[in-house]
Amino acid sequence: MRQSKKKQYVSSVQFQRAGCWLCSFILAIVALLSCTPVKEYQKNKLNDSEMVLTNRKIEKTELSFLSYREGASGANAGKSGGGCGCN
Amino acid sequence: MKKLTLATIALYLGILSVFAQPLKQNDSAYKKRKLSFEEANLISSYYQQDGNNSSITGGIGTEKLTDLSTQFSIKLTKVDRKWRKHTFDLEMGIDHYTSASSDRIDLKANSSASYNDTRFYPSANWSMENEKKGTTVGAGGSLSVEFDYVSVGGQFNASKKTKDKSGEWGVKVFTYLDNLKMILPVELRSGPFIPRGTQYPWTDRNTFGTSLSYTQIVNTKLQLALLADVIFQQGFLGLPFHRVYFSDNSVHMENLPTTRWKIPVSLRFSYFASDHLILRGYYRYYQDDWDLSAHTLSIEPVIKPTAFFSISPFYRLYVQQATKYFAPYQVHTAANRFYTSNFDLSSFTSHFFGSGMRLATPGGVLGWSKLSALELRYGHYTRTNNLVSDVISLNLTLR
Amino acid sequence: MSKLLFLLPLLMWQSQVKWETDLDAAIKMASEKNKTVLLNFSGSDWCAPCIQMKKNIFNHPDFISWSAENLVLVNADFPRSKKNKLTAEQQMRNERMAEQYNRTGIFPLTALLNPDGSIRKSWEGMPKLSAAEFVEEIRKNISHQP
């Protein structure tokens, strides 16, 4: 019993390490990308409705259920906490 | 109930029709300053789930639930004397759900009040954009009301574009001040938790959060967003009708700490790969001080046969490490200070996949000139601890 | 069917409407012929209101017949798809026009120009007007000399 608890602890630490590693990896990619200036009239691709950097309006219901059925929430420009309905 | 829903929709459609009057000569500066209708959205969703780890029965038992939700929103804009653009978003949402497990708050009763319920959630948001300075400020309020839960929300936000306007910093502070009815499982009601007639005691849950965001245009085809939240919650953070069975088969109300810190960090990108393909991606790492952590990864290739028609299959992977306070049915002991058997907080992996479809024909979808876009989306969700759900949504955009 | 036959000559006529692609040449031409320049920014293969505006206003007989006599039409197109890609030279010309008249990237944007190239009047987005009403607005603006 004691041993299994220890195992769980180790895996949790490993899990967090993996997360940190992934985050720094992504930040490194972002830093490496060199940006070219884009004029407002050159944004016909960026302004496509499928290119928005937020969730779609139609995803609202599924996102609220995902936030009830899963422990994690937030950082998705959506709602985090409050307004329960946590059935 | 149905009557009320229809009446509300009719009322909103009435408001819409007033704003939808064609604005003649919308080009003159004077007219531009008038409040004008931008768009309206009608979103309707049907959700159903089934599983056998209901927290109401201590981590065993049915989690069958259905929910039908309808949201209607209108967006209005106005340019003021200083040529700043004001946007007003008004929204009304109604959910109607039936839950088989909520029926088990009283294990002996056939049907309790919470077997089905309705939630109303109106909200209003305002924002003001100063294009010259590249700044936006905004504020908003929201309300969510159901028979055992009331939530009042508020938010302030501000953003500023970088000098070359390719990047934008954003900050948002938000709060939800909630009140929940202490409806305990029938056999656990004692002392202050004994209802007086139909009057139950209420308790608080408050959420305070800050969101930081940075978006960057990389080139004409690629843009990225980085988001980080810090969220603090205090108050009653479990739910009063969640049972926990100890190893000695004694039954208790879920007991969780009265504070919780959550830190999610995410990255999102969208890439216009070609005329017929857009790639959308999202990754999030989440950690809280209940030792719950999770990775979320989602990818959505958007296939565009034409510029106005797209099909977007999606896949989302979620891997969660349980909170230290979780244990399943009859595993907790009296030695534990905090305990829950809520499987939403357990260790699991979930897969969510499906497809969306969007039609935005110039001149109106399906021959209706006011219908500027029609979107349909279906998703199937499976969790390794046997929870499955399906969700289907429809979004009509009127302009 | 008879309606279609009636429309046929109009459709053929409409294809004769010429949209210039060089603003400097158009301004010169306008002053020679005593006409006014109407400059239109469009995204011909992605911008739904641009497509609607072309269909409902610019390609309408009411607009075609009047504009032939009174306007020099200039189009600065910003197509998105590979198959509609403009020549590098044309793209540069269009971007120069946008740099001067459409820095905020509004599509469609239509501007009536003075002989010196300054904006006399502009319409952001698709005007919610019929072709005849739009013609009337242009006419009024031309007759009221500043």
Side-chain angles (χ1 to χ4, degrees):
Chain A
M1 185 64 200
R2 195 177 281 165
Q3 211 167 13
S4 82
K5 247 193 178 165
K6 198 177 170 188
K7 234 183 198 169
Q8 213 175 357
Y9 173 72
V10 168
S11 76
S12 153
V13 166
Q14 278 174 340
F15 194 73
Q16 285 173 30
R17 262 189 211 150
C20 283
W21 187 83
L22 244 162
C23 273
S24 15
F25 176 71
I26 288 159
L27 283 170
I29 294 175
V30 175
L32 282 173
L33 285 165
S34 53
C35 305
T36 48
V38 180
K39 303 267 192 185
E40 290 300 320
Y41 50 80
Q42 293 170 328
K43 289 187 179 169
N44 57 15
K45 292 183 174 113
L46 296 173
N47 286 343
D48 191 286
S49 56
E50 308 283 2
M51 289 286 284
V52 288
L53 288 170
T54 54
N55 293 308
R56 302 160 189 271
K57 271 184 186 294
I58 200 169
E59 292 176 67
K60 210 170 160 179
T61 305
E62 63 193 51
L63 285 166
S64 77
F65 273 98
L66 288 171
S67 77
Y68 302 148
R69 291 294 78 91
E70 296 172 349
S73 63
N76 58 3
K79 160 169 196 180
S80 39
C84 209
C86 340
N87 31 76
Chain B
M1 183 51 236
K2 249 180 201 154
K3 257 185 203 160
L4 185 59
T5 314
L6 285 174
T8 318
I9 291 169
L11 178 71
Y12 270 86
L13 285 173
I15 294 169
L16 168 69
S17 68
V18 170
F19 287 109
Q21 300 296 325
L23 279 174
K24 297 238 166 172
Q25 298 183 332
N26 62 342
D27 42 295
S28 78
Y30 170 73
K31 289 281 182 184
K32 208 174 167 183
R33 284 199 204 140
K34 268 180 80 174
L35 198 61
S36 62
F37 168 80
E38 195 92 335
E39 67 170 46
N41 279 278
L42 180 70
I43 301 170
S44 204
S45 297
Y46 180 73
Y47 172 88
Q48 63 170 44
Q49 76 170 38
D50 202 2
N52 44 31
N53 296 115
S54 173
S55 342
I56 296 171
T57 35
I60 52 167
T62 177
E63 285 177 274
K64 209 169 219 162
L65 181 147
T66 65
D67 180 277
L68 181 64
S69 76
T70 303
Q71 292 142 30
F72 185 78
S73 63
I74 56 173
K75 193 168 154 185
L76 308 168
T77 56
K78 180 186 186 326
V79 176
D80 70 11
R81 276 182 207 174
K82 291 181 177 172
W83 297 100
R84 293 174 302 197
K85 189 182 178 190
H86 297 253
T87 305
F88 302 89
D89 255 305
L90 304 172
E91 191 176 320
M92 178 67 202
I94 301 162
D95 276 22
H96 184 74
Y97 66 84
T98 60
S99 154
S101 64
S102 298
D103 201 30
R104 312 294 295 172
I105 290 172
D106 182 349
L107 292 169
K108 285 178 209 122
N110 276 328
S111 209
S112 57
S114 59
Y115 176 68
N116 63 81
D117 190 30
T118 304
R119 179 167 78 101
F120 294 91
Y121 45 105
S123 69
N125 283 286
W126 158 81
S127 74
M128 180 181 79
E129 189 189 359
N130 188 327
E131 209 177 294
K132 250 188 198 162
K133 288 186 184 167
T135 56
T136 304
V137 291
S142 66
L143 187 67
S144 171
V145 182
E146 56 195 304
F147 94 106
D148 63 343
Y149 207 98
V150 176
S151 172
V152 180
Q155 60 100 2
F156 289 99
N157 63 73
S159 64
K160 186 168 175 55
K161 285 186 178 157
T162 55
K163 236 181 188 171
D164 65 356
K165 297 206 166 169
S166 70
E168 186 171 18
W169 290 98
V171 62
K172 179 170 117 174
V173 289
F174 59 91
T175 181
Y176 293 101
L177 307 174
D178 304 352
N179 272 288
L180 61 152
K181 217 182 240 186
M182 293 299 280
I183 304 174
L184 271 65
V186 171
E187 69 276 21
L188 295 176
R189 291 174 193 170
S190 64
F193 299 124
I194 299 171
R196 288 187 207 149
T198 52
Q199 297 291 308
Y200 292 86
W202 289 76
T203 191
D204 298 346
R205 172 187 303 171
N206 299 320
T207 305
F208 305 97
T210 303
S211 286
L212 292 170
S213 67
Y214 179 72
T215 60
Q216 175 71 51
I217 291 167
V218 178
N219 54 44
T220 57
K221 293 175 169 184
L222 176 65
Q223 54 190 358
L224 307 165
L226 277 162
L227 282 153
D229 291 358
V230 179
I231 299 150
F232 173 69
Q233 290 187 299
Q234 63 168 170
F236 191 84
L237 301 180
L239 280 172
F241 43 81
H242 283 180
R243 289 183 179 88
V244 174
Y245 290 90
F246 284 3
S247 53
D248 61 4
N249 203 24
S250 59
V251 59
H252 306 261
M253 179 179 77
E254 172 178 76
N255 187 26
L256 288 164
T258 53
T259 63
R260 187 178 182 187
W261 283 92
K262 304 172 172 182
I263 302 179
V265 185
S266 76
L267 173 83
R268 198 190 279 276
F269 76 87
S270 57
Y271 177 58
F272 200 100
S274 80
D275 294 340
H276 305 295
L277 180 68
I278 288 172
L279 291 172
R280 289 163 64 85
Y282 175 75
Y283 168 77
R284 174 180 66 190
Y285 178 70
Y286 170 96
Q287 175 76 55
D288 67 27
D289 68 344
W290 292 1
D291 280 4
L292 189 144
S293 62
H295 295 278
T296 310
L297 188 68
S298 100
I299 182 84
E300 184 177 332
V302 181
I303 298 148
K304 289 174 83 81
T306 77
F308 308 106
F309 172 53
S310 50
I311 296 168
S312 41
F314 64 89
Y315 171 67
R316 177 184 181 274
L317 172 71
Y318 177 86
V319 185
Q320 176 169 300
Q321 178 72 28
T323 163
K324 58 188 168 192
Y325 308 124
F326 172 83
Y329 183 69
Q330 287 190 339
V331 172
H332 280 297
T333 64
N336 296 95
R337 187 166 162 222
F338 298 111
Y339 37 82
T340 176
S341 292
N342 181 354
F343 273 73
D344 299 341
L345 303 176
S346 68
S347 290
F348 62 80
T349 297
S350 75
H351 306 276
F352 184 45
F353 54 91
S355 182
M357 195 266 312
R358 185 172 193 274
L359 203 55
T361 325
V365 181
L366 308 171
W368 183 15
S369 67
K370 283 200 173 15
L371 184 60
S372 81
L374 182 151
E375 240 176 302
L376 205 61
R377 189 172 155 105
Y378 167 76
H380 179 73
Y381 180 80
T382 59
R383 213 163 78 173
T384 42
N385 43 27
N386 291 327
L387 182 105
V388 285
S389 71
D390 297 276
V391 60
I392 186 159
S393 307
L394 170 76
N395 181 4
L396 302 178
T397 305
L398 305 170
R399 254 187 201 136
Chain C
M1 195 60 214
S2 63
K3 260 187 192 165
L4 272 177
L5 282 171
F6 171 72
L7 280 171
L8 203 60
L10 290 176
L11 287 170
M12 284 163 72
W13 188 17
Q14 130 191 342
S15 64
Q16 285 163 16
V17 167
K18 195 167 179 232
W19 285 88
E20 302 295 330
T21 50
D22 183 333
L23 184 62
D24 295 336
I27 288 175
K28 217 172 123 193
M29 195 195 300
S31 73
E32 279 165 9
K33 295 183 178 171
N34 201 21
K35 291 182 177 179
T36 309
V37 173
L38 186 78
L39 172 61
N40 171 250
F41 288 92
S42 66
S44 59
D45 60 359
W46 57 270
C47 159
C50 302
I51 292 165
Q52 281 308 103
M53 189 171 180
K54 189 173 177 189
K55 189 179 155 206
N56 297 341
I57 297 179
F58 297 142
N59 284 352
H60 192 282
D62 289 347
F63 181 83
I64 293 168
S65 56
W66 188 82
S67 68
E69 303 295 318
N70 300 283
L71 300 176
V72 173
L73 304 170
V74 185
N75 176 238
D77 194 22
F78 289 79
R80 190 171 73 182
S81 72
K82 230 174 220 158
K83 67 170 194 277
N84 297 329
K85 200 171 160 58
L86 304 170
T87 61
E89 190 197 2
Q90 186 58 50
Q91 193 179 331
M92 220 169 73
R93 255 193 309 221
N94 290 357
E95 295 201 347
R96 222 169 35 224
M97 284 190 255
E99 195 60 33
Q100 196 176 348
Y101 297 101
N102 195 8
R103 284 192 147 206
T104 48
I106 293 159
F107 293 95
L109 177 75
T110 311
L112 199 62
L113 302 186
N114 287 315
D116 64 357
S118 62
I119 294 175
R120 180 192 293 249
K121 162 93 182 156
S122 68
W123 294 265
E124 291 181 3
M126 181 175 71
K128 284 180 177 141
L129 302 168
S130 70
E133 288 168 326
F134 187 61
V135 164
E136 185 53 27
E137 267 210 37
I138 299 173
R139 208 184 53 74
K140 264 196 310 206
N141 275 285
I142 292 175
S143 58
H144 293 293
Q145 290 292 340

